[in-house]
Structures are given as C-alpha cells and as structure tokens.
Amino acid sequence: MAERARDGRSTRWDPHRRERRLAIITAAITAIEEHGPDALTGQIAQYAGVPRTHVYRHFDGKRALDLAVSAHVANELGTRIRHALGTRGSPRQIIGASVEAHLAWIEEHPNLYRFLAQHAYAVPAKDASTADAKSVFAAELTALVQHYLRLLGAATAPAERVMVGVVGMVDASAAWWLEHRDVPRSELTEALSTQVWLIIENMGSTLGLELDADMALPD
C-alpha cells in the first residue's frame, strides 16, 4: 500500500516535470538564438526563470540537454519540411519548395542551425526519439521518393542511400552560404533544386524510368 502511495505521488508530478523540461528546452533555444550555439547554462537559467543549479535537475548533464534541444528543434524543422514536401505539383515545384523551406529556416535561425551542426553526430543511432536536422530532412525526402517510386512501379531500395547524399549536398551548400552569403537565397534555391533533380533523374534512369522535372505527379 505504501509503495502504491509513493508511486501515485511520483506520477502526480509527471506533468509538472514535463512542463519544466519543456520550459528549460525553450529557454535554451532562446539563449542559443540570442547568444550563439555555445550559450551558457547561466543564460539558459535566466531565460527559464530558475536558479542555475536547477537546470540539470531535469537533465542528466549538458549533453542530455543538448540532445533534447536538438531533437525539439529538428522536429520543428521536420514539420516545416514535411509541409513543403506536401506541395502539389511537379517534381521541380516540390523540390524547390522543400529546398526553399530549408534555406528559409536557416536564414531565420542561423544560430540554431549552427547549434544543430555542432551536434549532428552526437545523437545515438539507436534512439529514434532524437534526430539531427539532416536525418529529419533525409527521412522526409526518402519517404516521399519511395512513395512515388512505388506508384511508378519501380524499386525503392536505392532511395534512402541517394537521398542521404542529396541532403548532405544541400546541407553542405547551406552551411557555406550561411557564413558567406555569396548569392541571394532565391538563386541558391534554384541552383540546389536543379542539382537535386539531376541526381533523382539519374537514379530514375538506373531504375528504367524516364522522368520529367515538370511532369504531373499522382496525388
């Protein structure tokens, strides 16, 4: 009976703990946006409205907090990319919309992007609940390409490997652009969209498909 009472009291506080964790994650995001990817714990605590010593009562150290922030941000970016990939139209329009969404987010949140880049390889592969931004983009794009390959009666096996390479190319170009801004965003979007299509077109050719960037796709 006493054990059940203790369990009940502990469970009763779960919503409060989740709210506090989310508040600290949100505060960390604000601190990173304002102070850069190496924002200090004290700055995070200030935005969260808690003493500095309270930050790690809800996380098992700095790395755990960094991973939680990365997962939260990657999920938000994934939602934006998923919406862009839901664009109806030709392959050219869908690719352009997704690349534009990716670059627009980076332009809006440069320090968050730099933070994600720092932690891109820190996420345990076995932990499906966390992901870096590139993994999110690759997963969304792979799912879409596999969907259309199935509708076209083609093998889907090469899609994941090819899309991971596509996202790596887009991400590397975006990282360069963020630091140098050598061309307008619209120009980079067009250039990357063309490059992505050429890779997809080549993949289709190896699968025996004749693809057209402006063809009408099935819903």
Side-chain angles (χ1 to χ4, degrees), residues 13-27:
W13 288 103
D14 284 350
H16 175 74
R17 294 189 186 101
R18 287 193 293 269
E19 289 173 7
R20 180 58 65 185
R21 277 178 60 90
L22 180 58
I24 293 172
I25 290 171
T26 302

Side-chain angles (χ1 to χ4, degrees), residues 100-167:
E100 165 65 18
H102 187 59
L103 295 179
W105 185 89
I106 290 172
E107 193 168 47
E108 293 169 17
H109 308 283
N111 280 333
L112 276 182
Y113 177 74
R114 294 182 180 105
F115 175 85
L116 288 175
Q118 287 184 6
H119 299 277
Y121 302 103
V123 179
K126 63 183 179 181
D127 189 352
S129 66
T130 59
D132 61 85
K134 286 190 288 188
S135 297
V136 170
F137 198 174
E140 296 293 344
L141 194 54
T142 297
L144 182 70
V145 170
Q146 288 178 333
H147 171 69
Y148 283 118
L149 287 175
R150 281 192 292 269
L151 291 178
L152 294 170
T156 62
E160 184 172 6
R161 168 176 48 81
V162 173
M163 291 307 104
V164 167
V166 163
V167 171

Side-chain angles (χ1 to χ4, degrees), residues 89-93 197 211-217:
S90 66
R92 189 190 308 278
Q93 291 170 321
W197 171 250
L211 302 178
D212 180 352
D214 297 306
M215 67 182 180
L217 290 171

Side-chain angles (χ1 to χ4, degrees), residues 28-47:
I29 290 171
T30 302
I32 292 166
E33 296 258 37
E34 293 293 327
H35 302 286
D38 298 316
L40 303 175
T41 302
Q43 293 166 332
I44 295 171
Q46 181 180 1
Y47 286 114

Side-chain angles (χ1 to χ4, degrees), residues 3 7 14 25 75 96 102 106 129 132 178 185 199-200 208:
E3 185 65 33
D7 289 345
D14 284 350
I25 290 171
N75 183 62
H102 187 59
I106 290 172
S129 66
D132 61 85
L178 178 61
R185 190 177 84 204
I199 294 172
I200 293 176

